Amino acid sequence: MRKIMKKPEVLAPAGTLEKLKTAIIYGADAVYIGGNQYGLRSRAGNFTFDEMREGVAFAKKHHAKVYVAANMVTHEGDEDGAGEFFKTLRDIGINAVIVSDPALIEICAMEAPGLPIHLSTQASATNYETLNFWHSEGLERVVLAREVSMEEIKEIRQKTDVEIEAFIHGAMCISYSGRCTLSNHMSARDANRGGCSQSCRWKYGLFEMPLPDVRNSVLAGEPEEAFSMSAVDMSMIRHIPDLVENGIDSLKIEGRMKSIHYVSTVTNVYRQAIDTYCNDPDNYEFQQEWEDELWKVAQRELAVGFYYGTPTEEEQLFGERRKIPAYTFIGQVLDYNEETQIATIQQRNNFGIGDDIEFYGPGFTHLYQTIDSLWDEDGNPIDRAPRAMMTVKMKVNAPVKPFDMIRKRK
């Protein structure tokens, strides 16, 4: 029997308290969130201290951990109040902070002793000497730069004892380790201080300018096609054995700004795949249904990033794209009455009688049916559920549970 390392942590994004609970219910061992200061996702629905307390209590109840991203690059004055911020996180019970700026690392270590520090991917750790340096500075974990290959991870693991965290799924930044100033120039929003407007994702015309006042389309005479500088998304679902055997301690899913549909689906898939491999590595087989499930929430095409070589133009979003099946997230189960087989649903998108729908839940459960009856909250028959967040009831052919999600194909 082959030797494997310990089962890695599944680390999921949680942009809101609802997403935190969803990620943990769907199998995350840990989640990472943002506070109202010092993070890189100013629009991610960041947590107040009271929300952190509720999130930590929920996580502890389910034997999970909560990390806080505080990975901005600080300019003069940005670090004001950081000591109190970190002390509050420690006292709330946050399990670690994710930091890139040495100033914030120093402040946290000095003013909030006992709060573990993880090095952010923004710090571009790409070799074992760098990991050993940060370990000697007291950091417990390093989040590797996304540009590190699998072969490099193998060597790093052999030459350092610090915990290794690596991204395995989600958006890839077109710039090196996310350190970009395109947003600063295009929209006056500082990407490295939490304001990235994702200018690389915008659509552009592509021209050549032989003279200052001459602009010729590169695609002259052909239908003009939008051009971007955007990378495809990462997916390592086909390479779980490599991730585990090379000793990565934490497998990180990107997406604090993504929906609960995304968080639940992706966490569910990786939980299933990692458990399947670690429980019986000798007889492990990749299941195509795992990848098919990921495509139900895919926003872009998928590739493996830098793990097995430098990405080419094939890993950029321009030119003809693969057709991606589009699914709509339509609701979440609030309650289910086994005697009447009636489920109470919170609506998230318009649906109604005659729609073919799919229920899915933790543990990779799936249930398919056609809606043949629908009632509003007061028990009145209705044909459709058109209002956002309205509560409706429907008959379901088999038991479902709170936190189960519902989607339909567009």
Side-chain angles (χ1 to χ4, degrees):
M1 180 176 179
R2 78 182 79 179
K3 179 183 177 182
I4 67 168
M5 309 294 287
K6 67 178 183 180
K7 182 186 290 188
E9 169 186 89
V10 176
L11 176 56
T16 64
L17 191 55
E18 180 187 38
K19 294 173 190 177
L20 178 150
K21 294 178 180 180
T22 298
I24 291 171
I25 290 293
Y26 277 79
D29 299 300
V31 296
Y32 61 101
I33 68 175
N36 287 326
Q37 296 171 277
Y38 311 111
L40 284 182
R41 290 292 181 269
S42 61
R43 294 172 293 148
N46 294 310
F47 284 60
T48 66
F49 290 138
D50 284 341
E51 288 172 330
M52 287 185 189
R53 291 184 183 94
E54 183 176 346
V56 166
F58 185 89
K60 285 183 177 178
K61 182 179 178 181
H62 292 84
H63 310 290
K65 296 178 179 180
V66 179
Y67 310 138
V68 172
N71 51 350
M72 74 179 291
V73 174
T74 56
H75 290 240
E76 288 299 334
D78 288 343
E79 76 284 359
D80 292 348
E84 283 300 316
F85 177 77
F86 289 129
K87 281 190 283 188
T88 303
L89 297 189
R90 179 195 62 191
D91 296 343
I92 285 172
I94 294 298
N95 296 97
V97 289
I98 307 168
V99 189
S100 64
D101 194 307
L104 291 181
I105 291 172
E106 180 80 1
I107 291 169
C108 183
M110 296 296 293
E111 300 194 34
L115 177 60
I117 304 172
H118 297 172
L119 188 72
S120 169
T121 189
Q122 261 77 25
S124 301
T126 57
N127 58 78
Y128 76 86
E129 292 96 336
T130 296
L131 271 71
N132 284 333
F133 167 79
W134 287 112
H135 198 196
S136 71
E137 292 294 306
L139 275 64
E140 294 189 358
R141 178 184 295 184
V142 171
V143 187
L144 294 178
R146 301 196 198 191
E147 295 77 21
V148 178
S149 71
M150 192 65 72
E151 279 300 311
E152 289 172 323
I153 291 174
K154 182 177 180 180
E155 181 176 7
I156 289 169
R157 178 71 292 163
Q158 292 170 348
K159 295 181 178 179
T160 183
D161 294 326
V162 69
E163 290 185 7
I164 295 173
E165 180 177 306
F167 280 92
I168 59 165
H169 194 93
M172 291 284 286
C173 187
I174 200 68
S175 68
Y176 199 93
S177 292
R179 296 185 299 186
C180 178
T181 58
L182 189 63
S183 172
N184 303 50
H185 292 285
M186 300 294 287
S187 59
R189 287 167 48 174
D190 192 335
N192 295 296
R193 298 164 83 182
C196 181
S197 59
Q198 299 193 44
S199 306
C200 63
R201 305 286 190 197
W202 301 354
K203 300 300 181 185
Y204 298 92
L206 192 59
F207 303 92
E208 62 178 0
M209 298 181 68
L211 297 171
D213 57 346
V214 177
R215 190 174 73 167
N216 301 324
S217 172
V218 172
L219 301 174
E222 301 177 28
E224 190 160 317
E225 184 176 280
F227 172 83
S228 80
M229 293 166 275
S230 183
V232 303
D233 287 356
M234 178 195 290
S235 176
M236 287 292 286
I237 190 60
R238 288 181 171 269
H239 305 281
I240 297 300
D242 276 359
L243 294 168
V244 178
E245 290 178 4
N246 283 296
I248 302 174
D249 298 278
S250 180
L251 305 179
K252 189 170 193 172
I253 299 165
E254 183 275 337
R256 277 196 289 139
M257 296 176 68
K258 300 286 181 64
S259 68
I260 60 171
H261 181 211
Y262 172 92
V263 170
S264 58
T265 299
V266 177
T267 304
N268 211 10
V269 168
Y270 281 96
R271 175 81 280 157
Q272 184 77 5
I274 291 162
D275 287 351
T276 300
Y277 177 71
C278 291
N279 291 342
D280 189 3
D282 288 325
N283 296 305
Y284 173 82
E285 293 183 3
F286 170 77
Q287 303 297 314
Q288 182 59 44
E289 63 178 349
W290 297 337
E291 190 170 67
D292 293 343
E293 190 79 358
L294 294 175
W295 277 106
K296 293 178 181 179
V297 295
Q299 296 180 332
R300 306 179 186 98
E301 297 180 44
L302 302 174
V304 295
F306 289 80
Y307 278 107
Y308 301 103
T310 302
T312 69
E313 67 274 9
E314 296 299 320
E315 285 75 49
Q316 287 183 257
L317 288 177
F318 61 86
E320 187 175 349
R321 300 190 191 187
R322 171 179 169 179
K323 298 293 185 183
I324 300 175
Y327 282 76
T328 301
F329 171 48
I330 62 171
Q332 180 176 7
V333 176
L334 301 178
D335 191 32
Y336 178 75
N337 186 312
E338 292 191 11
E339 292 184 6
T340 63
Q341 292 188 307
I342 300 296
T344 303
I345 308 297
Q346 184 182 71
Q347 187 262 34
R348 296 302 179 99
N349 272 295
N350 192 319
F351 65 90
I353 290 177
D355 288 345
D356 295 323
I357 62 173
E358 172 193 350
F359 290 85
Y360 70 93
F364 212 65
T365 61
H366 292 83
L367 170 67
Y368 303 88
Q369 74 168 62
T370 301
I371 300 175
D372 57 15
S373 55
L374 201 59
W375 300 271
D376 66 17
E377 195 169 7
D378 298 321
N380 302 309
I382 56 176
D383 292 328
R384 302 202 68 77
R387 297 195 316 275
M389 302 298 284
M390 70 183 294
T391 300
V392 299
K393 297 178 184 293
M394 72 171 72
K395 190 161 187 177
V396 182
N397 299 332
V400 291
K401 307 179 298 299
F403 280 100
D404 282 1
M405 308 289 177
I406 317 168
R407 59 186 165 214
K408 68 175 182 178
R409 189 163 183 168
K410 292 182 181 178

